[in-house]
Structure formats: C-alpha cells, structure tokens
Amino acid sequence: MLELRPNCECCNRDLPPESTEAMICTYECTFCRTCTDAIFKGSCPNCGGELVRRPIRPATRLATHPASTQRILKPHPGCASRP
Ligand SMILES: [Zn+2]
Ligand SMILES: [Zn+2]
C-alpha cells in the first residue's frame, strides 16, 4: 500500500492525499508537479526512476487506510534556491 507522504521532499509544499499535483517514483519518493517538471525533468533524483502522478485514494478508503503524516525533506541540487 502506498504511504501517501504529506509533502514534496524538495520544496516541502503540502501534498494532501487528494492532491493531483503529487508525483511519485516506484519507491514512493514524493515530489510536487512543479519540482518534477522544473528541477528533475520527470526522473527521481534519488533512484533515477520515472516520476508519475500519484493515484488518489478514495476518501472512504482513507478512513481505514490513512495517509502518512511523516514529512520527508531531502536537499537535492536545485531545491535550495527555492523559497
Ligand atoms: Zn516541490
Ligand atoms: Zn525514487
């Protein structure tokens, strides 16, 4: 099951489970669409894999399988210059 991490690990913006801006790789490294496009050009900076849009978990399912609340933030080249 996906963790559904709560933030972009590059710019730290919130990515709630219903967000269509969340992008993940096969290991669930999680980024917003802006960082994915502008900084990483669609490839995960951790594993080199493809970043694809994270599927939305239906609200009824979130009740039994809630999203992760553990924020993960990693410095990658290009992230530091962002506000
Ligand atoms: Zn971001
Ligand atoms: Zn990755």
Side-chain angles (χ1 to χ4, degrees), residues 59-83:
T60 50
R61 297 288 166 170
L62 278 171
T64 42
H65 299 121
S68 168
T69 55
Q70 194 192 339
R71 299 181 81 84
I72 294 174
L73 199 56
K74 286 183 193 162
H76 296 288
C79 298
S81 61
R82 294 176 64 83

Side-chain angles (χ1 to χ4, degrees), residues 25 27 29 44 46-47:
C25 77
Y27 296 106
C29 309
C44 175
N46 297 313
C47 68

Side-chain angles (χ1 to χ4, degrees), residues 24-31 43-51:
I24 60 172
C25 77
T26 188
Y27 296 106
E28 261 194 278
C29 309
T30 304
F31 302 94
S43 308
C44 175
N46 297 313
C47 68
E50 207 182 353
L51 288 167

Side-chain angles (χ1 to χ4, degrees), residues 7-70:
N7 68 312
C8 172
E9 70 174 59
C10 180
C11 71
N12 199 29
R13 73 179 257 201
D14 288 338
L15 293 171
E18 69 276 13
S19 174
T20 57
E21 300 287 298
M23 306 291 284
I24 60 172
C25 77
T26 188
Y27 296 106
E28 261 194 278
C29 309
T30 304
F31 302 94
C32 70
R33 192 182 288 275
T34 305
C35 292
T36 296
D37 292 345
I39 300 173
F40 306 123
K41 314 292 184 203
S43 308
C44 175
N46 297 313
C47 68
E50 207 182 353
L51 288 167
V52 299
R53 194 180 75 84
R54 186 175 69 187
I56 307 290
R57 184 172 301 168
T60 50
R61 297 288 166 170
L62 278 171
T64 42
H65 299 121
S68 168
T69 55
Q70 194 192 339

